[in-house]
Every structure is written in C-alpha cells, then in structure tokens.
Amino acid sequence: MNRLFDDLPCGLLELDIDGNVLAVNKTLDTMLGRTDSPGTHVHDLLTRPSRIYFQTYFAPLMMVHGEIAEMHLTFRHRDGSSIPMLVNAVRQDDLVLCALVKMSQREEYEQELMHAKKQSEQILEDKDAAFRELQTVMREYEDKRRELMNLNKKLSRLSITDELTGLPNRRFLEERLKSLLHAANVNYVPFTVMLIDIDHFKLVNDQYGHHVGDDVLRELGRELQAIIREGDTVGRLGGEEFLVLFSSVNALQAEAAGNDIRMHMESRNWESRPITVSGGIAEWQPSDSAETMMQRADHALYAAKNGGRNQVVVYQDDMKD
C-alpha cells in the first residue's frame, strides 16, 4: 500500500474471496504488532470466537450483499492480547477491502460495569441508592443484550433470504434438501423436488427492461409462496430459476401439484407481464445425494423446455445424458 494509506489513522486490510490476506497498511500492522500479515489467512489474525463469527456471518453476508457495515470482530496481537475492532467491508470483484477501527466503546462499557460492581459492594452503607444504581445498569445491559440478539437474528435471516423476492435463497434450499435426504435415508420418508423456470424470461428483460423482469420475479415469488402446501418449501435458486421441495409425496403427486402451479401462472392476471413456467420433477431414490436429485430434476426441466415449454415433466431414465 502507498504512504497515504499506510499513514491513515485506521487499519486497512485487503483479502481475496477465500479470506487470504493480500495486503495490510502500516497502521494495522502496528495495531497487531506484526510484520508478516500478508500471505496469512484472516483466521490467523482473529480470536477463536471471531473466526467462527467470520465464517458464519461475515463471509455469507459478503457473498450475498457485497458489503458489511459496523461488524464487531476481535483480532489477536502478536503478544496474545485481544483487540476488539469495528469492521466495515466492501467486495470489489474477487477482493474484499476492510477498514478497521479499535472499539474503545466496548472497553469503556466494561469499565462502567466494573464501576457498577464496586458501587454494589457499598449496598450495606447506602442500600436504596446502590440498588437503584444497580438496577439502572442492569436495565442498560439488558437493552444492549436484546439489541445484539435482534441484530444476530436479522443477520441470520439475511444470510438465508433472497434479497429480490424475499424467498429462501440457494443456501437455505441446499440445507433443507440435505435435511429431507437425511429423513428419507433414515426413516424412508419419500419426497420430491421440482425445478421451475420462467419461459422466455430473456425476452421479458430484452423487451421491457430488467426492472420489469425483477417485478416478474417478485410477483412469481409471491404467487409460489401463496399456493404451495404447508410443510413444502419454495425458494429462488438464482436468475429465473426456483425450486419447490415437496415433502412426503411421490412423483405422481408432485406432478399434479406442479401442474396446478403451472396452470395457475398461465391463467393469472399478472400485474407486471404475463408469463408461463416449465417444471422438472425428480423423486427421491435410496441412492440419491443432493447433486443427483438436482441433476435429474434439471434433465426433466430440459425435457419440458425442449418439448414446447409451459409443461411439467417427471424425470425418466431415458433422459440421461
């Protein structure tokens, strides 16, 4: 980094998409007491709890949203001491750029709690006053705890939600599919997957613009969420492709449900632009993995598209490549 960035009063950290450290400025090296940061992984700079927090929240949020505002991470000084920092980050292509500032507020808050503890020890001398003081501190602490819990819940929801449609995203769908596979393999509970693709969606974007295309995706997402059965799952994989997970049904039942969905979309009075959809269905087999089920559903979807669109096709063995 050049001298201007080296002399900034905050730490600067450059990572690749896998978390490898590419560059740091002089300020951050001084904070951490290190000279060997580049070439290491960001995990080597963090405390154990912050490594978990980085993997669980920082990395998924960066992949989904491309930026992070005011996340708390604790770094390790070379001498083993902990350095709480406030991190703001943004993704640029395959790089993640981070600005880090020491969190003096946390230290001040801890000092306030220690001061409150000392005051509580004087409760015998001034019982009423000390008790009121302690209650005030405890209320403030509880407020902060609730704020942190609410923030964690919000971050958790964001990490598994498609930003455009509000439906579960690919990450959530993959975990749900693994759960259904486990139940099927252990208890032999059948289930079925259906890939849904909007017919001629590229023409919608080309003729009316991507803003209309986004409206179509949002409206389709609302309709799918409204008409699937309770206990089934629908989400957006990406682009114009959606996935429905039918629990405890076979391929024949899923085909009927899929055709209900298809005909509903065909006859709907759309607020954005009229569309139709095609679907590809694959039923669980004892030897299945998530990958093999999705591959078969994709083959069936291809057959539906190739057969004229606006139809639902169940996978058959002769559809293999």
Side-chain angles (χ1 to χ4, degrees):
M1 293 188 178
N2 62 39
R3 181 176 177 183
L4 172 63
F5 293 110
D6 272 338
D7 294 338
L8 284 175
C10 68
L12 297 179
L13 174 64
E14 184 181 80
L15 308 172
D16 65 19
I17 201 64
D18 295 319
N20 297 304
V21 178
L22 303 179
V24 301
N25 70 344
K26 185 176 180 181
T27 302
L28 182 57
D29 266 342
T30 301
M31 289 180 186
L32 302 180
R34 305 177 67 101
T35 58
D36 59 344
S37 298
T40 64
H41 193 277
V42 68
H43 284 181
D44 298 326
L45 307 180
L46 297 171
T47 62
R48 183 181 179 88
S50 280
R51 292 176 191 172
I52 297 173
Y53 199 79
F54 180 93
Q55 197 65 33
T56 305
Y57 293 106
F58 185 102
L61 285 174
M62 184 57 64
M63 292 299 295
V64 174
H65 298 290
E67 62 179 5
I68 287 174
E70 299 185 352
M71 179 173 286
H72 297 172
L73 292 175
T74 303
F75 285 71
R76 291 190 304 111
H77 192 276
R78 178 176 284 276
D79 63 10
S81 59
S82 298
I83 307 174
M85 293 198 189
L86 192 67
V87 181
N88 288 274
V90 63
R91 179 179 175 185
Q92 294 183 353
D93 298 325
D94 292 331
L95 299 178
V96 178
L97 307 179
C98 308
L100 302 91
V101 180
K102 283 187 177 181
M103 286 178 54
S104 59
Q105 294 87 345
R106 176 180 290 183
E107 296 175 356
E108 293 171 0
Y109 187 64
E110 290 175 350
Q111 291 173 1
E112 289 176 4
L113 290 177
M114 290 299 296
H115 180 63
K117 180 181 177 182
K118 291 178 180 179
Q119 286 184 324
S120 67
E121 292 171 353
Q122 301 174 6
I123 198 167
L124 293 178
E125 299 178 14
D126 193 356
K127 180 178 178 180
D128 292 339
F131 182 73
R132 287 194 298 270
E133 184 76 18
L134 181 60
Q135 288 294 93
T136 299
V137 172
M138 293 306 295
R139 282 196 298 270
E140 291 176 355
Y141 171 79
E142 186 62 25
D143 289 343
K144 295 294 184 183
R145 188 184 68 84
R146 280 196 295 268
E147 288 177 10
L148 181 60
M149 289 181 64
N150 290 335
L151 176 60
N152 286 339
K153 289 179 181 178
K154 182 178 180 181
L155 291 174
S156 179
R157 286 195 301 271
L158 288 173
S159 70
I160 59 173
T161 302
D162 176 59
E163 185 177 7
L164 180 64
T165 64
L167 293 177
N169 63 11
R170 177 183 290 271
R171 179 184 178 188
F172 179 91
L173 292 169
E174 288 174 348
E175 292 301 317
R176 176 60 177 156
L177 179 53
K178 290 178 183 177
S179 176
L180 290 171
L181 277 168
H182 177 75
N185 290 325
V186 172
N187 300 315
Y188 211 82
V189 179
F191 73 98
T192 309
V193 303
M194 180 173 72
L195 278 173
I196 295 177
D197 190 270
I198 301 175
D199 297 329
H200 302 296
F201 184 68
K202 185 176 184 301
L203 293 179
V204 175
N205 282 330
D206 291 345
Q207 293 180 10
Y208 305 103
H210 287 278
H211 64 287
V212 174
D214 287 348
D215 289 341
V216 169
L217 291 171
R218 279 189 285 264
E219 191 172 356
L220 177 58
R222 290 194 299 269
E223 288 301 304
L224 287 172
Q225 187 68 69
I227 63 178
I228 64 167
R229 300 182 316 163
E230 183 177 356
D232 294 337
T233 304
V234 63
R236 183 186 178 209
L237 289 173
E240 68 270 28
E241 199 166 56
F242 294 75
L243 178 67
V244 180
L245 302 174
F246 294 111
S247 60
S248 303
V249 301
N250 58 31
L252 187 62
Q253 294 166 321
E255 182 181 20
N259 275 310
D260 287 343
I261 291 173
R262 178 188 62 78
M263 289 186 290
H264 176 86
M265 301 308 170
E266 182 182 21
S267 61
R268 172 172 168 71
N269 185 19
W270 289 82
E271 298 173 10
S272 48
R273 301 299 308 175
I275 61 163
T276 59
V277 298
S278 298
I281 289 174
E283 183 178 355
W284 169 76
Q285 297 174 359
S287 61
D288 262 328
S289 65
E291 291 76 15
T292 57
M293 284 201 75
M294 292 299 291
Q295 286 172 2
R296 294 205 313 278
D298 191 60
H299 288 319
L301 177 60
Y302 179 80
K305 290 285 191 180
N306 207 37
R309 295 179 169 82
N310 191 20
Q311 58 182 290
V312 173
V313 172
V314 176
Y315 175 82
Q316 304 295 328
D317 287 340
D318 58 5
M319 294 178 185
K320 293 180 180 178
D321 292 335

